[in-house]
PDB file of all heavy atoms in Angstrom:
ATOM      1  N   GLY W   1       0.813  -1.199   0.000  1.00 98.00           N
ATOM      2  CA  GLY W   1       0.000   0.000   0.000  1.00 98.00           C
ATOM      3  C   GLY W   1       0.847   1.249   0.000  1.00 98.00           C
ATOM      4  O   GLY W   1       2.067   1.200  -0.168  1.00 98.00           O
ATOM      5  N   ASN W   2       0.192   2.379   0.231  1.00 98.00           N
ATOM      6  CA  ASN W   2       0.898   3.657   0.191  1.00 98.00           C
ATOM      7  C   ASN W   2       0.089   4.733   0.883  1.00 98.00           C
ATOM      8  O   ASN W   2      -1.116   4.607   1.094  1.00 98.00           O
ATOM      9  CB  ASN W   2       1.165   4.075  -1.254  1.00 98.00           C
ATOM     10  CG  ASN W   2      -0.113   4.460  -1.984  1.00 98.00           C
ATOM     11  OD1 ASN W   2      -1.065   3.673  -2.066  1.00 98.00           O
ATOM     12  ND2 ASN W   2      -0.150   5.676  -2.506  1.00 98.00           N
ATOM     13  N   SER W   3       0.778   5.819   1.211  1.00 98.00           N
ATOM     14  CA  SER W   3       0.129   7.046   1.639  1.00 98.00           C
ATOM     15  C   SER W   3       0.981   8.190   1.135  1.00 98.00           C
ATOM     16  O   SER W   3       2.091   8.417   1.628  1.00 98.00           O
ATOM     17  CB  SER W   3      -0.011   7.115   3.168  1.00 98.00           C
ATOM     18  OG  SER W   3      -0.720   8.287   3.541  1.00 98.00           O
ATOM     19  N   SER W   4       0.479   8.888   0.121  1.00 97.00           N
ATOM     20  CA  SER W   4       1.218  10.009  -0.454  1.00 97.00           C
ATOM     21  C   SER W   4       0.881  11.252   0.359  1.00 97.00           C
ATOM     22  O   SER W   4       0.208  12.175  -0.107  1.00 97.00           O
ATOM     23  CB  SER W   4       0.833  10.191  -1.925  1.00 97.00           C
ATOM     24  OG  SER W   4       1.785  10.999  -2.592  1.00 97.00           O
ATOM     25  N   SER W   5       1.351  11.253   1.604  1.00 96.00           N
ATOM     26  CA  SER W   5       1.085  12.342   2.537  1.00 96.00           C
ATOM     27  C   SER W   5       2.310  12.513   3.424  1.00 96.00           C
ATOM     28  O   SER W   5       3.234  11.694   3.405  1.00 96.00           O
ATOM     29  CB  SER W   5      -0.162  12.036   3.381  1.00 96.00           C
ATOM     30  OG  SER W   5       0.006  10.835   4.110  1.00 96.00           O
ATOM     31  N   ALA W   6       2.323  13.593   4.203  1.00 96.00           N
ATOM     32  CA  ALA W   6       3.461  13.880   5.064  1.00 96.00           C
ATOM     33  C   ALA W   6       3.008  14.775   6.207  1.00 96.00           C
ATOM     34  O   ALA W   6       1.907  15.328   6.191  1.00 96.00           O
ATOM     35  CB  ALA W   6       4.581  14.553   4.275  1.00 96.00           C
ATOM     36  N   ILE W   7       3.861  14.920   7.204  1.00 95.00           N
ATOM     37  CA  ILE W   7       3.629  15.841   8.308  1.00 95.00           C
ATOM     38  C   ILE W   7       4.157  17.211   7.887  1.00 95.00           C
ATOM     39  O   ILE W   7       5.294  17.323   7.413  1.00 95.00           O
ATOM     40  CB  ILE W   7       4.346  15.366   9.588  1.00 95.00           C
ATOM     41  CG1 ILE W   7       3.927  13.922   9.940  1.00 95.00           C
ATOM     42  CG2 ILE W   7       4.038  16.306  10.740  1.00 95.00           C
ATOM     43  CD1 ILE W   7       2.452  13.745  10.161  1.00 95.00           C
ATOM     44  N   VAL W   8       3.357  18.261   8.042  1.00 91.00           N
ATOM     45  CA  VAL W   8       3.772  19.600   7.638  1.00 91.00           C
ATOM     46  C   VAL W   8       3.912  20.493   8.865  1.00 91.00           C
ATOM     47  O   VAL W   8       3.488  20.136   9.968  1.00 91.00           O
ATOM     48  CB  VAL W   8       2.757  20.216   6.643  1.00 91.00           C
ATOM     49  CG1 VAL W   8       2.693  19.383   5.380  1.00 91.00           C
ATOM     50  CG2 VAL W   8       1.362  20.303   7.270  1.00 91.00           C
ATOM     51  N   GLY W   9       4.518  21.674   8.685  1.00 90.00           N
ATOM     52  CA  GLY W   9       4.723  22.588   9.794  1.00 90.00           C
ATOM     53  C   GLY W   9       6.170  22.625  10.234  1.00 90.00           C
ATOM     54  O   GLY W   9       7.072  22.129   9.539  1.00 90.00           O
ATOM     55  N   LYS W  10       6.422  23.186  11.416  1.00 87.00           N
ATOM     56  CA  LYS W  10       7.796  23.319  11.908  1.00 87.00           C
ATOM     57  C   LYS W  10       8.479  21.974  12.101  1.00 87.00           C
ATOM     58  O   LYS W  10       9.693  21.859  11.965  1.00 87.00           O
ATOM     59  CB  LYS W  10       7.794  24.098  13.235  1.00 87.00           C
ATOM     60  CG  LYS W  10       7.406  25.569  13.090  1.00 87.00           C
ATOM     61  CD  LYS W  10       7.502  26.283  14.428  1.00 87.00           C
ATOM     62  CE  LYS W  10       7.152  27.766  14.271  1.00 87.00           C
ATOM     63  NZ  LYS W  10       7.239  28.490  15.566  1.00 87.00           N
ATOM     64  N   LYS W  11       7.703  20.963  12.461  1.00 87.00           N
ATOM     65  CA  LYS W  11       8.270  19.627  12.651  1.00 87.00           C
ATOM     66  C   LYS W  11       7.918  18.726  11.480  1.00 87.00           C
ATOM     67  O   LYS W  11       7.789  17.514  11.629  1.00 87.00           O
ATOM     68  CB  LYS W  11       7.776  19.022  13.961  1.00 87.00           C
ATOM     69  CG  LYS W  11       8.234  19.781  15.194  1.00 87.00           C
ATOM     70  CD  LYS W  11       7.809  19.085  16.471  1.00 87.00           C
ATOM     71  CE  LYS W  11       8.315  19.839  17.695  1.00 87.00           C
ATOM     72  NZ  LYS W  11       7.935  19.159  18.971  1.00 87.00           N
ATOM     73  N   GLY W  12       7.769  19.337  10.312  1.00 93.00           N
ATOM     74  CA  GLY W  12       7.402  18.578   9.124  1.00 93.00           C
ATOM     75  C   GLY W  12       8.415  17.493   8.787  1.00 93.00           C
ATOM     76  O   GLY W  12       9.616  17.670   8.967  1.00 93.00           O
ATOM     77  N   ARG W  13       7.901  16.395   8.302  1.00 97.00           N
ATOM     78  CA  ARG W  13       8.753  15.261   7.937  1.00 97.00           C
ATOM     79  C   ARG W  13       7.924  14.251   7.157  1.00 97.00           C
ATOM     80  O   ARG W  13       6.696  14.277   7.184  1.00 97.00           O
ATOM     81  CB  ARG W  13       9.357  14.596   9.174  1.00 97.00           C
ATOM     82  CG  ARG W  13       8.347  14.044  10.176  1.00 97.00           C
ATOM     83  CD  ARG W  13       8.995  13.779  11.521  1.00 97.00           C
ATOM     84  NE  ARG W  13       9.548  14.993  12.069  1.00 97.00           N
ATOM     85  CZ  ARG W  13      10.541  15.022  12.968  1.00 97.00           C
ATOM     86  NH1 ARG W  13      11.072  13.895  13.413  1.00 97.00           N
ATOM     87  NH2 ARG W  13      10.993  16.169  13.418  1.00 97.00           N
ATOM     88  N   SER W  14       8.615  13.363   6.487  1.00 98.00           N
ATOM     89  CA  SER W  14       7.919  12.289   5.773  1.00 98.00           C
ATOM     90  C   SER W  14       7.382  11.284   6.778  1.00 98.00           C
ATOM     91  O   SER W  14       7.795  11.244   7.943  1.00 98.00           O
ATOM     92  CB  SER W  14       8.881  11.598   4.805  1.00 98.00           C
ATOM     93  OG  SER W  14       9.900  10.913   5.517  1.00 98.00           O
ATOM     94  N   LEU W  15       6.467  10.458   6.323  1.00 98.00           N
ATOM     95  CA  LEU W  15       5.903   9.443   7.216  1.00 98.00           C
ATOM     96  C   LEU W  15       6.952   8.420   7.628  1.00 98.00           C
ATOM     97  O   LEU W  15       6.915   7.903   8.748  1.00 98.00           O
ATOM     98  CB  LEU W  15       4.716   8.751   6.539  1.00 98.00           C
ATOM     99  CG  LEU W  15       3.506   9.643   6.260  1.00 98.00           C
ATOM    100  CD1 LEU W  15       2.364   8.823   5.673  1.00 98.00           C
ATOM    101  CD2 LEU W  15       3.040  10.354   7.523  1.00 98.00           C
ATOM    102  N   SER W  16       7.902   8.143   6.752  1.00 98.00           N
ATOM    103  CA  SER W  16       8.957   7.194   7.117  1.00 98.00           C
ATOM    104  C   SER W  16       9.856   7.773   8.207  1.00 98.00           C
ATOM    105  O   SER W  16      10.228   7.072   9.158  1.00 98.00           O
ATOM    106  CB  SER W  16       9.787   6.830   5.892  1.00 98.00           C
ATOM    107  OG  SER W  16       9.072   5.975   5.035  1.00 98.00           O
ATOM    108  N   ARG W  17      10.204   9.055   8.093  1.00 98.00           N
ATOM    109  CA  ARG W  17      11.027   9.661   9.155  1.00 98.00           C
ATOM    110  C   ARG W  17      10.229   9.779  10.442  1.00 98.00           C
ATOM    111  O   ARG W  17      10.779   9.664  11.541  1.00 98.00           O
ATOM    112  CB  ARG W  17      11.567  11.021   8.722  1.00 98.00           C
ATOM    113  CG  ARG W  17      12.551  11.624   9.725  1.00 98.00           C
ATOM    114  CD  ARG W  17      13.512  12.596   9.061  1.00 98.00           C
ATOM    115  NE  ARG W  17      12.890  13.853   8.741  1.00 98.00           N
ATOM    116  CZ  ARG W  17      12.987  14.957   9.505  1.00 98.00           C
ATOM    117  NH1 ARG W  17      13.647  14.925  10.664  1.00 98.00           N
ATOM    118  NH2 ARG W  17      12.426  16.078   9.114  1.00 98.00           N
ATOM    119  N   LEU W  18       8.929  10.006  10.317  1.00 97.00           N
ATOM    120  CA  LEU W  18       8.076  10.004  11.511  1.00 97.00           C
ATOM    121  C   LEU W  18       8.164   8.664  12.223  1.00 97.00           C
ATOM    122  O   LEU W  18       8.292   8.602  13.454  1.00 97.00           O
ATOM    123  CB  LEU W  18       6.633  10.293  11.113  1.00 97.00           C
ATOM    124  CG  LEU W  18       5.586  10.221  12.235  1.00 97.00           C
ATOM    125  CD1 LEU W  18       5.786  11.363  13.222  1.00 97.00           C
ATOM    126  CD2 LEU W  18       4.169  10.242  11.653  1.00 97.00           C
ATOM    127  N   ALA W  19       8.096   7.585  11.447  1.00 97.00           N
ATOM    128  CA  ALA W  19       8.160   6.244  12.038  1.00 97.00           C
ATOM    129  C   ALA W  19       9.513   5.986  12.685  1.00 97.00           C
ATOM    130  O   ALA W  19       9.598   5.345  13.747  1.00 97.00           O
ATOM    131  CB  ALA W  19       7.883   5.194  10.974  1.00 97.00           C
ATOM    132  N   MET W  20      10.576   6.509  12.063  1.00 97.00           N
ATOM    133  CA  MET W  20      11.915   6.275  12.589  1.00 97.00           C
ATOM    134  C   MET W  20      12.198   7.059  13.861  1.00 97.00           C
ATOM    135  O   MET W  20      13.068   6.677  14.645  1.00 97.00           O
ATOM    136  CB  MET W  20      12.958   6.656  11.536  1.00 97.00           C
ATOM    137  CG  MET W  20      12.967   5.791  10.304  1.00 97.00           C
ATOM    138  SD  MET W  20      14.211   6.402   9.118  1.00 97.00           S
ATOM    139  CE  MET W  20      13.907   5.298   7.722  1.00 97.00           C
ATOM    140  N   THR W  21      11.479   8.154  14.073  1.00 96.00           N
ATOM    141  CA  THR W  21      11.819   9.078  15.164  1.00 96.00           C
ATOM    142  C   THR W  21      10.754   9.160  16.252  1.00 96.00           C
ATOM    143  O   THR W  21      10.856  10.007  17.139  1.00 96.00           O
ATOM    144  CB  THR W  21      12.053  10.489  14.589  1.00 96.00           C
ATOM    145  OG1 THR W  21      10.884  10.916  13.869  1.00 96.00           O
ATOM    146  CG2 THR W  21      13.250  10.504  13.653  1.00 96.00           C
ATOM    147  N   THR W  22       9.749   8.322  16.190  1.00 94.00           N
ATOM    148  CA  THR W  22       8.669   8.365  17.178  1.00 94.00           C
ATOM    149  C   THR W  22       8.579   7.019  17.888  1.00 94.00           C
ATOM    150  O   THR W  22       8.513   5.962  17.244  1.00 94.00           O
ATOM    151  CB  THR W  22       7.321   8.684  16.508  1.00 94.00           C
ATOM    152  OG1 THR W  22       7.441   9.905  15.762  1.00 94.00           O
ATOM    153  CG2 THR W  22       6.229   8.834  17.543  1.00 94.00           C
ATOM    154  N   GLY W  23       8.563   7.065  19.217  1.00 88.00           N
ATOM    155  CA  GLY W  23       8.530   5.838  20.000  1.00 88.00           C
ATOM    156  C   GLY W  23       7.370   4.925  19.642  1.00 88.00           C
ATOM    157  O   GLY W  23       6.229   5.379  19.586  1.00 88.00           O
ATOM    158  N   GLY W  24       7.669   3.677  19.410  1.00 92.00           N
ATOM    159  CA  GLY W  24       6.652   2.672  19.113  1.00 92.00           C
ATOM    160  C   GLY W  24       6.356   2.502  17.633  1.00 92.00           C
ATOM    161  O   GLY W  24       5.951   1.411  17.214  1.00 92.00           O
ATOM    162  N   LEU W  25       6.543   3.552  16.821  1.00 95.00           N
ATOM    163  CA  LEU W  25       6.193   3.449  15.403  1.00 95.00           C
ATOM    164  C   LEU W  25       7.200   2.604  14.623  1.00 95.00           C
ATOM    165  O   LEU W  25       6.823   1.928  13.665  1.00 95.00           O
ATOM    166  CB  LEU W  25       6.083   4.846  14.781  1.00 95.00           C
ATOM    167  CG  LEU W  25       4.968   5.729  15.341  1.00 95.00           C
ATOM    168  CD1 LEU W  25       4.888   7.031  14.552  1.00 95.00           C
ATOM    169  CD2 LEU W  25       3.628   5.010  15.310  1.00 95.00           C
ATOM    170  N   ALA W  26       8.454   2.637  15.031  1.00 95.00           N
ATOM    171  CA  ALA W  26       9.449   1.783  14.368  1.00 95.00           C
ATOM    172  C   ALA W  26       9.111   0.312  14.609  1.00 95.00           C
ATOM    173  O   ALA W  26       9.197  -0.514  13.691  1.00 95.00           O
ATOM    174  CB  ALA W  26      10.846   2.103  14.881  1.00 95.00           C
ATOM    175  N   GLN W  27       8.717  -0.001  15.830  1.00 94.00           N
ATOM    176  CA  GLN W  27       8.343  -1.381  16.152  1.00 94.00           C
ATOM    177  C   GLN W  27       7.110  -1.811  15.359  1.00 94.00           C
ATOM    178  O   GLN W  27       7.030  -2.958  14.904  1.00 94.00           O
ATOM    179  CB  GLN W  27       8.085  -1.509  17.659  1.00 94.00           C
ATOM    180  CG  GLN W  27       9.331  -1.388  18.524  1.00 94.00           C
ATOM    181  CD  GLN W  27       9.697   0.048  18.850  1.00 94.00           C
ATOM    182  OE1 GLN W  27       9.211   0.982  18.225  1.00 94.00           O
ATOM    183  NE2 GLN W  27      10.573   0.212  19.833  1.00 94.00           N
ATOM    184  N   SER W  28       6.151  -0.890  15.213  1.00 94.00           N
ATOM    185  CA  SER W  28       4.951  -1.220  14.444  1.00 94.00           C
ATOM    186  C   SER W  28       5.280  -1.451  12.975  1.00 94.00           C
ATOM    187  O   SER W  28       4.721  -2.349  12.338  1.00 94.00           O
ATOM    188  CB  SER W  28       3.919  -0.087  14.570  1.00 94.00           C
ATOM    189  OG  SER W  28       3.430   0.003  15.884  1.00 94.00           O
ATOM    190  N   SER W  29       6.194  -0.661  12.423  1.00 96.00           N
ATOM    191  CA  SER W  29       6.602  -0.848  11.030  1.00 96.00           C
ATOM    192  C   SER W  29       7.279  -2.199  10.844  1.00 96.00           C
ATOM    193  O   SER W  29       7.033  -2.897   9.857  1.00 96.00           O
ATOM    194  CB  SER W  29       7.547   0.286  10.598  1.00 96.00           C
ATOM    195  OG  SER W  29       6.881   1.536  10.593  1.00 96.00           O
ATOM    196  N   ALA W  30       8.114  -2.567  11.800  1.00 95.00           N
ATOM    197  CA  ALA W  30       8.781  -3.872  11.731  1.00 95.00           C
ATOM    198  C   ALA W  30       7.765  -5.003  11.872  1.00 95.00           C
ATOM    199  O   ALA W  30       7.867  -6.040  11.202  1.00 95.00           O
ATOM    200  CB  ALA W  30       9.841  -3.968  12.822  1.00 95.00           C
ATOM    201  N   TRP W  31       6.778  -4.806  12.732  1.00 94.00           N
ATOM    202  CA  TRP W  31       5.734  -5.812  12.937  1.00 94.00           C
ATOM    203  C   TRP W  31       4.951  -6.050  11.653  1.00 94.00           C
ATOM    204  O   TRP W  31       4.693  -7.196  11.273  1.00 94.00           O
ATOM    205  CB  TRP W  31       4.820  -5.329  14.061  1.00 94.00           C
ATOM    206  CG  TRP W  31       3.662  -6.225  14.380  1.00 94.00           C
ATOM    207  CD1 TRP W  31       3.705  -7.414  15.041  1.00 94.00           C
ATOM    208  CD2 TRP W  31       2.284  -5.994  14.062  1.00 94.00           C
ATOM    209  NE1 TRP W  31       2.435  -7.939  15.160  1.00 94.00           N
ATOM    210  CE2 TRP W  31       1.546  -7.088  14.567  1.00 94.00           C
ATOM    211  CE3 TRP W  31       1.606  -4.968  13.418  1.00 94.00           C
ATOM    212  CZ2 TRP W  31       0.167  -7.180  14.427  1.00 94.00           C
ATOM    213  CZ3 TRP W  31       0.226  -5.050  13.280  1.00 94.00           C
ATOM    214  CH2 TRP W  31      -0.484  -6.149  13.781  1.00 94.00           C
ATOM    215  N   LEU W  32       4.576  -4.970  10.970  1.00 95.00           N
ATOM    216  CA  LEU W  32       3.866  -5.116   9.702  1.00 95.00           C
ATOM    217  C   LEU W  32       4.730  -5.825   8.671  1.00 95.00           C
ATOM    218  O   LEU W  32       4.244  -6.678   7.920  1.00 95.00           O
ATOM    219  CB  LEU W  32       3.461  -3.739   9.164  1.00 95.00           C
ATOM    220  CG  LEU W  32       2.187  -3.104   9.686  1.00 95.00           C
ATOM    221  CD1 LEU W  32       1.889  -1.837   8.902  1.00 95.00           C
ATOM    222  CD2 LEU W  32       1.006  -4.059   9.585  1.00 95.00           C
ATOM    223  N   TYR W  33       5.997  -5.453   8.617  1.00 96.00           N
ATOM    224  CA  TYR W  33       6.917  -6.054   7.643  1.00 96.00           C
ATOM    225  C   TYR W  33       7.012  -7.562   7.857  1.00 96.00           C
ATOM    226  O   TYR W  33       7.010  -8.344   6.906  1.00 96.00           O
ATOM    227  CB  TYR W  33       8.279  -5.387   7.783  1.00 96.00           C
ATOM    228  CG  TYR W  33       9.309  -5.812   6.756  1.00 96.00           C
ATOM    229  CD1 TYR W  33       9.249  -5.337   5.450  1.00 96.00           C
ATOM    230  CD2 TYR W  33      10.361  -6.662   7.103  1.00 96.00           C
ATOM    231  CE1 TYR W  33      10.202  -5.703   4.515  1.00 96.00           C
ATOM    232  CE2 TYR W  33      11.315  -7.026   6.179  1.00 96.00           C
ATOM    233  CZ  TYR W  33      11.231  -6.547   4.886  1.00 96.00           C
ATOM    234  OH  TYR W  33      12.182  -6.918   3.963  1.00 96.00           O
ATOM    235  N   ARG W  34       7.064  -7.965   9.116  1.00 95.00           N
ATOM    236  CA  ARG W  34       7.128  -9.401   9.422  1.00 95.00           C
ATOM    237  C   ARG W  34       5.830 -10.109   9.037  1.00 95.00           C
ATOM    238  O   ARG W  34       5.826 -11.324   8.833  1.00 95.00           O
ATOM    239  CB  ARG W  34       7.417  -9.616  10.912  1.00 95.00           C
ATOM    240  CG  ARG W  34       8.815  -9.243  11.334  1.00 95.00           C
ATOM    241  CD  ARG W  34       9.155  -9.831  12.701  1.00 95.00           C
ATOM    242  NE  ARG W  34       8.248  -9.357  13.738  1.00 95.00           N
ATOM    243  CZ  ARG W  34       8.437  -8.264  14.466  1.00 95.00           C
ATOM    244  NH1 ARG W  34       9.514  -7.519  14.252  1.00 95.00           N
ATOM    245  NH2 ARG W  34       7.577  -7.919  15.398  1.00 95.00           N
TER     246      ARG W  34
END
């Protein structure tokens, strides 16, 4: 799947960087991958 969206504003970032830098989201991404 996909989401062609991002976080905007002063702390703007891509969804992948959001996952890498937010507690619990990296684990969830790994869980989905598995």
Side-chain angles (χ1 to χ4, degrees):
N2 70 304
S3 183
S4 196
S5 59
I7 305 301
V8 298
K10 292 183 178 180
K11 296 184 178 181
R13 60 197 60 204
S14 66
L15 295 184
S16 286
R17 186 155 75 98
L18 175 69
M20 294 178 185
T21 57
T22 305
L25 296 185
Q27 290 85 345
S28 293
S29 295
W31 178 74
L32 277 187
Y33 185 76
R34 290 196 300 271

